Amino acid sequence: MSAVTDVRRRGGRASMVGSGLLVVAVLVLALWVPYNVSLGTLSSLVGLFVLVILGTTWNLMAGYAGMVSIGQQAFIGIGGYGVIHLADAVGLPVLGAVVAAAVVCGAVAWATSFLVFRLAGGYFAIGTWVVAEVVKLLTTQVDALGGGSGLSLGAFQGADRVARVATVYWLGLTLAVVVVLATFALMRSRVGLGLTAIRDDPTAASGLGVPVDRSKRIVYVASSAGVGLAGALTALNTLRVTPDSIFSVGFTASMIFVVLIGGIGTIEGPIVGAVVSFVLQDRLADLGSLYLVVLGVVAIVVVLLAPRGLWGLVTRVTDVHLFPLVHTVRREASED
Amino acid sequence: MATRPPASPRDELTLPLLTASDVSPSLFLQLLVSGIVLGSTYALLGTSVSTIYSTTKVFHFAHAFVYTAAAYVALATASSLGLPLAVAIAAGLLVAVVLGVGIELVVYRPMRRSGADSLGIFLASLGLSIAGPNLIQIMFGPDGRGFPAGDPRLFTLGTATFTTWDVLTVVVSWALIGGVLAMRRSRWGLASIAVSANRELASAVGISPQRVHVYVFGVGSFLVGVAAVLFLLNQSATPNIGLQPVLLGFIATFLGGVGSQKGAPFAGLVLGMVVSLSGLWLAQTFQTAVIFGLLFVFLIVRPQGLFGKIAA
């Protein structure tokens, strides 16, 4: 007698190899790169970590929870202003200030979620943009935050430049790894399963007992706190924030491009997208705004020809999942 | 732009915080006149956005690119090529229509065919709205550029002043809005209402949604081109001028109610008046906050807008 059983598995041998390569890449970035490249390169690599965080958090919202925000620059700004204010005026140690700034972002996201969650789809997008504009407007009105001219970071004053750049670099790498792993953990949890159901059909998910609003709120708060980390990192790297630079809608543009190019709805996609945009940015640095044009054109071409992004092309031919979220079910005959 | 006249009276007003008792009748009259001008602009933008949005349901952010491109082509034709103003305006409007329809044909339609959801189309549109203005910045530089439209005449009405350009803005905006509303009864207007109400049913009775899309993108892009040219009369252009008017157009569309053609222009006019008159009590920086506040109150208390139906 033979019965048919379903064998559920995640990933596979190819995926194990892929994940192993990723770990090696992170180790190289952590242990080899800092001692073998110039300080300027190290500082610009922080930009890559920022892109990874931004792409991952934006993908968490849009790709997994179906919330397209064009106002996440609000949390870049709060993170950036927050870290400088908390480190200089309140006197927290820099690392503590980074974490506290992210917590503030989460709190603001939680409060505003009651407003923007009344909206869906494009309305939600516009609502988040409005929130970002209001936050920017309020920031310029507060004298303690430097009004329209912004703030400079004083906490690193007197510190050795090499030590400062290295600290920010390792902090950035750590935060990027933490954000990616946390997103992976969240998606493998019960909440993640619920989110996938919500993305596919909110009504049906709700009917099956998925707490739709609560799950979306968790994602919105977590994602905004992550964006706050990226904002704090940006401020530590540039040592200065102004309302126009740190609340720039350009940050949201990069998030969207990173996710579109890499592939929406996968954890690997934003990482691939971040690397591609970082390389483009690096190559086209002298050309100024041509970078955004090229990025925009690449994104549109990718959307037209490969709607699942570059990572989508990889998974179509190889079945590699660096962060296995899918269940592969295979029927096997087994002896009873 | 030292050689040009003050942009318009409303830009010259620096408004201190006033209490209700300080409100002077002359300030009120000036703000009322400015509000009508501003409101007419918003009404035109709202009509442009709602024409496209209510039929296609595409969050056409690339409209911002169309706006900017129309402005810059008109500018380049007039200042660089030195052609007459009328030719420059015609060129700007032509580019607006070609670009708007082109985006629908080259980007949105293939995406729809390949089964892209509205999120994908929205993202492609955002991509265009970011890439486009940067392309313009590369071609023309980041600095503001003015239109050689000459000096307008100043009129006074009691204590309020306004210019020829203000009159032109109001007259042209409402003539076009009236035209669009009148075209609702035309063959194409009716077809676009049908597609907006029920796409499948419309194609079942022989209306081609594809062609209706081209029509509404053409009309909407023409209107936004006109708005861009009117903007140039008073102010100089930078590569990023497009985003704000398009967002205002969306806000007027939402406030008026999606699916109601009269809603967007009416809401645009009211929005402009409210923003301008809020200057009686608020500093100018906070006038943007008035728009956002209104939008949020509406989205929460009356999400279907002024004239919208709940079922939509």
Side-chain angles (χ1 to χ4, degrees), chain B residues 26 81-82 149 160 175 193 203:
Chain B
S26 65
L81 301 180
I193 298 172
S203 40

Side-chain angles (χ1 to χ4, degrees), chain A residues 68 115 122-123 129 253 289 303, chain B residues 59 111 119 122 130 134 247 258:
Chain A
V68 176
L115 216 52
Y123 295 81
W129 174 79
S289 43
V303 164
Chain B
F59 265 93
M111 286 188 75
L119 172 66
F122 173 57
I130 292 159
N134 279 288
L247 283 163
V258 173

Side-chain angles (χ1 to χ4, degrees), chain A residues 60-258:
Chain A
L60 179 62
M61 286 178 41
Y64 287 121
M67 295 183 284
V68 176
S69 164
I70 53 170
Q72 288 304 87
Q73 68 272 21
F75 300 107
I76 304 252
I78 297 175
Y81 268 97
V83 76
I84 293 185
H85 185 72
L86 290 168
D88 287 352
V90 181
L92 290 183
V94 171
L95 187 62
V98 170
V99 175
V103 171
V104 172
C105 285
V108 173
W110 181 80
T112 52
S113 74
F114 290 94
L115 216 52
V116 291
F117 274 26
R118 315 260 326 215
L119 318 168
Y123 295 81
F124 177 82
I126 301 223
T128 53
W129 174 79
V130 168
V131 168
E133 287 293 305
V134 171
V135 169
K136 179 180 168 186
L137 189 69
L138 292 178
T139 309
T140 57
Q141 302 302 316
V142 179
D143 288 336
L145 296 178
S149 53
L151 288 179
S152 291
L153 181 68
F156 277 143
Q157 255 163 21
D160 175 36
R161 179 155 176 262
V162 177
R164 171 172 67 76
V165 172
T167 308
V168 174
Y169 173 84
W170 274 312
L171 180 64
L173 180 62
T174 313
L175 291 179
V177 170
V178 166
V179 166
V180 171
L181 289 181
T183 307
F184 180 52
L186 180 69
M187 288 315 296
R188 282 196 69 151
S189 73
R190 206 184 156 77
V191 176
L193 272 178
L195 285 172
T196 318
I198 293 169
R199 179 195 57 189
D200 294 341
D201 191 331
T203 319
S206 163
L208 289 169
V210 176
V212 175
D213 260 19
R214 207 189 59 182
S215 308
K216 285 171 83 172
R217 190 160 285 126
I218 291 173
V219 165
Y220 187 60
V221 169
S223 163
S224 305
V227 172
L229 291 175
L233 206 52
T234 307
L236 291 182
N237 202 30
T238 55
L239 302 175
R240 171 153 190 78
V241 291
T242 61
D244 284 330
S245 68
I246 201 88
F247 284 108
S248 161
V249 77
F251 281 112
T252 295
S254 341
M255 297 180 204
I256 297 173
F257 284 151
V258 162

Side-chain angles (χ1 to χ4, degrees), chain A residues 58 62 68 70 115-116 118-119 121-123 125-127 129-131 133-134 137-138 141 249 253 256-257 260 264 287 289-290 292-293 296-297 300 303-304 307, chain B residues 53 59 61 106-107 110-111 114 119-120 122-124 126-128 130-131 134-135 137-138 243-244 247 250-251 254 258 285-286 288-289 292 295-296 299-300 303:
Chain A
W58 198 80
V68 176
I70 53 170
L115 216 52
V116 291
R118 315 260 326 215
L119 318 168
Y123 295 81
I126 301 223
W129 174 79
V130 168
V131 168
E133 287 293 305
V134 171
L137 189 69
L138 292 178
Q141 302 302 316
V249 77
I256 297 173
F257 284 151
L260 278 187
I264 192 166
L287 302 166
S289 43
L290 186 60
L292 276 173
V293 177
V297 170
I300 289 161
V303 164
L304 283 175
Chain B
Y53 181 73
F59 265 93
F61 258 68
V106 177
V107 180
M111 286 188 75
S114 67
L119 172 66
F122 173 57
L123 293 178
L126 269 180
L128 276 174
I130 292 159
N134 279 288
L135 188 66
Q137 177 161 341
I138 290 169
L243 191 61
Q244 211 191 359
L247 283 163
F250 270 111
I251 290 172
F254 294 158
V258 173
T285 353
F286 288 104
T288 341
F292 297 152
L295 176 69
F296 261 114
L299 287 175
I300 286 165

Side-chain angles (χ1 to χ4, degrees), chain B residues 42-190:
Chain B
Y42 291 176
L44 182 63
L45 291 166
T47 309
S48 165
V49 168
S50 85
T51 302
I52 294 176
Y53 181 73
S54 54
T55 300
T56 65
K57 301 292 183 297
V58 172
F59 265 93
H60 180 45
F61 258 68
H63 218 37
F65 176 32
V66 175
Y67 183 96
T68 317
Y72 269 86
V73 167
L75 272 175
T77 317
S79 24
S80 307
L81 301 180
L83 292 171
L85 217 52
V87 178
I89 292 173
L93 297 179
L94 181 70
V95 163
V97 172
V98 169
L99 190 60
V101 172
I103 290 171
E104 155 69 9
L105 292 180
V106 177
V107 180
Y108 299 156
R109 184 181 286 184
M111 286 188 75
R112 233 178 270 121
R113 275 218 183 114
S114 67
D117 52 2
S118 58
L119 172 66
I121 294 178
F122 173 57
L123 293 178
S125 191
L126 269 180
L128 276 174
S129 73
I130 292 159
N134 279 288
L135 188 66
I136 288 173
Q137 177 161 341
I138 290 169
M139 291 164 67
F140 296 96
D143 299 331
R145 293 159 64 101
F147 210 36
D151 294 349
R153 263 186 62 197
L154 271 177
F155 299 97
T156 49
L157 180 81
T159 50
T161 57
F162 53 95
T163 67
T164 329
W165 302 145
D166 292 336
V167 178
L168 197 66
T169 301
V170 174
V171 171
V172 170
S173 298
W174 290 103
L176 286 174
I177 294 166
V180 169
L181 290 179
M183 280 203 299
R184 299 259 293 167
R185 296 280 151 242
S186 76
R187 199 181 132 79
W188 282 102
L190 289 170

